[in-house]
Amino acid sequence: MTVEKFSPNPTTTLSTPVKVLEANQNKSARRAERARIGFISLGCPKNLVDSERILTQLRTEGYDVVPTFNDADLVIVNTCGFIDAAVEESLDTIGEALAENGRVIVTGCLGIKDDEIREVHPNVLAVTGPHAYEEVVNQVHEHLPKPGHNPFADLVPDHGIKLTPRHYAYLKISEGCNHRCTFCIIPSMRGNLVSRPVGEILDEAKRLKAGGVNELLVISQDTSAYGVDMKHRTGFWNGMPVKTHLQQLSEKLGELDMWIRLHYVYPYPHVDDLIPLMNEGRILPYLDIPLQHASKRILKLMKRPGSADRTLERIKKWREICPELIIRSTFIVGFPGETEEEFEELLTFIQEAQLDRVGCFMYSPVEGAVANDLPGPVPEAVKQARHARFMEIQGQISAQRLQQRIGKEYQIVIDSVDSEGAVGRTYADAPEVDGVVHLNGVYDVKPGDRLWAEIIHADEHDIWAVPADDEAQEA
């Protein structure tokens, strides 16, 4: 994901034009008066939160953030390095920033591979790793001294700088991960689990609400594990004791009268305790739970917990407790050693589970992943064929489940308005990863508004709606 106006296009990344370096010499005369930062944020929402923290600190110190390469005195690229495609995008983006500006600081997950970055782009000013906020800011100080800061002119809102629309925000509750999934290299990049103090998280949520946010997307590498590293010790918020535990955190977040959406929730036993909170309307009945596969043998090779039968039993129980529950998940096909029978087992599982939203990825041999050394690599053509079959079946499931919404009324949050009308989401749709609601012909709304609407049509991914009768009368 990139900041608007900084969306990178494929470029040649092997050289930096001399004319750019010469042009930047002319900038030095004005750097003392105008310290201006360009920023590109790639990768997942967790990376986006890191970008917001860096930008908040820089704005607090008086740096300006500008939307184009040419207007910037220095560009920061927050990279992703999770899979090969992300590494390629990051390197291309660094190359474009160097070509267009010439002064670039690199941070983020790919930053742990300093040598690899400098081999392709030797002219970068500095390279730092993920969530290295202070180090990034210190590098900015070294290459672009602090401007004269006027606290009356350079105001930063209490909730900090946000890279999402005003009405929703990501709330990161921990860093790192204690799991060692064989397909993942995130722990080597971001380290073991480090949970944030519960009071600090709730304070941030309260500030975000005061700043106009009405939907919080709770994220981390492993949201279910929140507080494990602290042995779930008791913290305090507003003078009241609160355990450093996902359930207690969710209960308190639910008191803020906002949409609270949980992402990246591993299927630990205590996840069952969150379902009643969803049924009571305290947090959204939406669960993003990455299951990854159904075969017990493949899950063991992945070093993932669970089995298909137990998972199906829990899903059935969850839906009995909370009939409106929406379940989102992700799966990997073509994992090393995956047989046709094990893939068929996965297809049977998704047909029985009837999950609402599903992402499917072909196994990618990321450098450093333990799974790369497993026997029986799946040929690329077989991966692609399995991915297509999986998505065809899941597309049918998604279409059928969306058809069941036709004729029902839902509260819609508006995300944008274009020439065809408003575009929004129900509680069942997380921004950017799920489908949307089209309200064709509805223009008298703005992002962040909410209205009730009746669903009139659906396809595999999106739905169409019209304002409910009482909404139309009020309009």
Side-chain angles (χ1 to χ4, degrees), residues 228-271:
V228 167
D229 55 312
M230 297 181 175
K231 298 183 179 179
H232 300 303
R233 68 168 176 250
T234 299
F236 289 88
W237 187 61
N238 287 348
M240 299 294 292
V242 185
K243 274 192 175 182
T244 310
H245 188 281
L246 182 60
Q247 180 181 349
Q248 284 71 28
L249 174 62
S250 297
E251 290 172 353
K252 288 300 180 182
L253 289 172
E255 296 174 5
L256 296 178
D257 191 27
M258 306 166 73
W259 278 9
I260 307 298
R261 191 183 299 276
L262 302 182
H263 286 270
Y264 315 122
V265 179
Y266 277 63
Y268 298 157
H270 68 261
V271 171

Side-chain angles (χ1 to χ4, degrees), residues 167-405:
H167 59 283
Y168 70 81
Y170 294 101
L171 182 67
K172 185 156 65 169
I173 63 174
S174 65
E175 295 283 2
C177 181
N178 288 343
H179 291 286
R180 294 299 181 266
C181 301
T182 58
F183 56 81
C184 180
I185 59 172
I186 292 298
S188 67
M189 294 179 173
R190 291 182 173 264
N192 288 332
L193 176 73
V194 179
S195 300
R196 294 177 62 193
V198 66
E200 179 183 301
I201 295 171
L202 292 166
D203 282 341
E204 180 180 351
K206 190 174 180 179
R207 289 194 302 271
L208 287 166
K209 180 181 179 181
V213 172
N214 55 32
E215 178 181 0
L216 290 176
L217 296 93
V218 178
I219 60 171
S220 65
Q221 272 319 123
D222 179 4
T223 299
S224 305
Y226 174 67
V228 167
D229 55 312
M230 297 181 175
K231 298 183 179 179
H232 300 303
R233 68 168 176 250
T234 299
F236 289 88
W237 187 61
N238 287 348
M240 299 294 292
V242 185
K243 274 192 175 182
T244 310
H245 188 281
L246 182 60
Q247 180 181 349
Q248 284 71 28
L249 174 62
S250 297
E251 290 172 353
K252 288 300 180 182
L253 289 172
E255 296 174 5
L256 296 178
D257 191 27
M258 306 166 73
W259 278 9
I260 307 298
R261 191 183 299 276
L262 302 182
H263 286 270
Y264 315 122
V265 179
Y266 277 63
Y268 298 157
H270 68 261
V271 171
D272 295 349
D273 299 328
L274 298 173
I275 309 303
L277 298 180
M278 297 178 179
N279 190 53
E280 294 162 9
R282 298 167 72 177
I283 61 178
L284 289 183
Y286 179 100
L287 192 58
D288 177 357
I289 185 161
L291 298 171
Q292 308 298 10
H293 214 280
S295 162
K296 190 170 184 178
R297 189 184 78 89
I298 293 297
L299 287 170
K300 186 176 180 180
L301 290 175
M302 290 179 169
K303 290 194 175 179
R304 297 284 295 186
S307 70
D309 290 342
R310 289 201 301 269
T311 300
L312 288 171
E313 289 175 5
R314 293 179 75 190
I315 290 173
K316 181 180 177 181
K317 179 181 177 182
W318 292 343
R319 285 174 169 157
E320 288 173 352
I321 296 171
C322 182
E324 298 302 313
L325 176 64
I326 297 295
I327 302 177
R328 172 180 176 76
S329 189
T330 52
F331 295 89
I332 297 173
V333 297
F335 190 80
E338 181 191 59
T339 65
E340 180 63 24
E341 291 74 17
E342 287 164 333
F343 174 67
E344 291 286 350
E345 187 178 348
L346 174 57
L347 295 183
T348 299
F349 173 83
I350 63 170
Q351 289 170 316
E352 294 182 5
Q354 292 287 299
L355 304 178
D356 299 272
R357 302 291 193 183
V358 169
C360 179
F361 303 92
M362 293 182 289
Y363 176 74
S364 175
V366 182
E367 182 181 349
V370 174
N372 297 342
D373 297 326
L374 292 174
V378 178
E380 196 66 27
V382 176
K383 289 183 193 176
Q384 293 175 0
R386 289 178 181 175
H387 181 269
R389 289 165 60 194
F390 181 102
M391 293 308 298
E392 181 181 3
I393 292 175
Q394 180 56 39
Q396 296 169 0
I397 295 170
S398 176
Q400 291 168 1
R401 295 192 70 79
L402 290 179
Q403 286 291 321
Q404 295 171 10
R405 300 194 202 177

